[in-house]
């Protein structure tokens, strides 16, 4: 039984009128909290020493741009500081394409890079090149859904716990370049992935 399969996007049918928060190829240089709808265009970087907190029910959409012409969207969130994205079973956090007709590789990834104690719980990652990449970091990824991505999760040289997630219809479910990683992958469900 796959988790979060029929969870609606936050705000669907709820009559929200708040304008989305927008970032255009920018840097986050102080502690920041996201809620509602957040639209990212290009690369957004959370700088070292800063914490990005994403509240339950937040929807993060990556606008389609392809500046290098490789047919992979260039939208990405790179976290050099700390990432805390704790949704709930009722209010998942969604990372998705901003296109009207989304498809695999519409955006690049959420990348956790050179930081400690990243937390991703009850999140949904869809239509990315890599839903999440973790490098030179410690992280817990729990109770999340990865669907219709080229790679659900990719990690290298890291201490990561990947547990109780669903990997559905990705090309690669979990891709590892170990390089001394200490990883626990437990109680996950895989269905419809090529590898």
């Amino acid at each position: 039984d796959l988790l979060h399969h029929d969870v609606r996007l936050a705000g669907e049918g709820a009559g929200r009128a708040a304008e989305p928060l927008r970032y255009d190829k920018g840097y986050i240089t102080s502690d920041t909290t996201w809620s509602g709808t957040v639209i990212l265009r290009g690369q957004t970087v959370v700088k070292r020493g800063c914490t990005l907190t994403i509240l339950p029910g937040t929807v993060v959409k990556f606008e389609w741009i392809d500046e290098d012409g490789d047919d992979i969207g260039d939208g990405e969130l790179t976290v050099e500081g700390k990432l805390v994205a704790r949704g709930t079973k009722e209010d998942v956090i969604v990372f998705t394409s901003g296109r009207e007709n989304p498809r695999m590789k519409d955006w690049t990834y959420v990348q956790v890079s050179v930081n400690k104690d990243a937390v991703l719980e009850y999140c949904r990652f869809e239509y990315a090149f890599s839903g999440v990449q973790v490098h030179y970091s410690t992280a817990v990824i729990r109770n999340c859904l990865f669907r219709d991505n080229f790679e659900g999760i990719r990690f290298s040289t890291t201490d990561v716990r990947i547990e109780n997630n669903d990997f559905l219809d990705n090309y690669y479910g979990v891709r590892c370049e170990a390089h001394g990683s200490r990883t626990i992958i437990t109680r996950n469900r895989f269905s419809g992935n090529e590898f």
Side-chain angles (χ1 to χ4, degrees):
D1 187 32
L2 297 171
L3 295 174
H4 323 301
H5 211 148
D6 297 315
V7 175
R8 65 184 176 87
L9 291 179
E12 277 184 2
R16 281 194 182 177
E19 286 295 312
L21 180 62
R22 294 181 180 271
Y23 288 85
D24 189 353
K25 300 179 186 176
Y27 294 94
I28 295 174
T29 57
S30 61
D31 291 352
T32 300
T33 300
W34 287 352
S35 63
T37 300
V38 179
I39 298 174
L40 304 182
R41 184 176 189 278
Q43 182 186 42
T44 299
V45 179
V46 179
K47 298 302 284 180
R48 192 170 297 180
C50 304
T51 299
L52 173 61
T53 303
I54 305 177
L55 298 180
T58 301
V59 178
V60 181
K61 294 183 177 183
F62 294 84
E63 279 190 6
W64 169 259
I65 57 170
D66 182 15
E67 293 178 333
D68 55 6
D70 64 358
D71 207 30
I72 299 171
D74 296 331
E76 63 187 67
L77 175 62
T78 299
V79 183
E80 299 169 352
K82 184 175 179 181
L83 175 62
V84 178
R86 280 193 174 107
T88 66
K89 192 171 185 177
E90 296 76 26
D91 286 308
V92 299
I93 296 167
V94 178
F95 296 88
T96 191
S97 169
R99 280 179 148 177
E100 188 173 322
N101 297 306
R103 59 187 178 97
M104 186 182 288
K105 301 183 189 178
D106 272 359
W107 54 283
T108 312
Y109 48 59
V110 173
Q111 179 175 257
V112 176
S113 180
V114 194
N115 70 72
K116 291 186 175 186
D117 304 322
V119 178
L120 296 160
E121 293 180 337
Y122 288 106
C123 296
R124 186 169 77 210
F125 298 87
E126 58 191 13
Y127 309 117
F129 180 84
S130 297
V132 175
Q133 290 195 15
V134 183
H135 305 289
Y136 303 101
S137 302
T138 61
V140 173
I141 303 170
R142 179 183 296 132
N143 297 319
C144 293
L145 171 62
F146 297 86
R147 70 174 183 192
D148 297 309
N149 304 292
F150 182 72
E151 303 167 334
I153 296 175
R154 178 194 285 193
F155 64 89
S156 66
T157 319
T158 188
D159 183 352
V160 65
R161 184 174 187 95
I162 299 168
E163 64 181 1
N164 204 37
N165 300 288
D166 293 313
F167 295 88
L168 177 64
D169 298 330
N170 305 285
Y171 191 75
Y172 293 97
V174 175
R175 195 166 184 190
C176 168
E177 300 163 5
H179 304 293
S181 293
R182 292 175 299 181
T183 304
I184 296 171
I185 301 175
T186 183
R187 296 190 316 268
N188 297 281
R189 289 154 302 278
F190 295 85
S191 176
N193 305 284
E194 292 292 320
F195 297 96

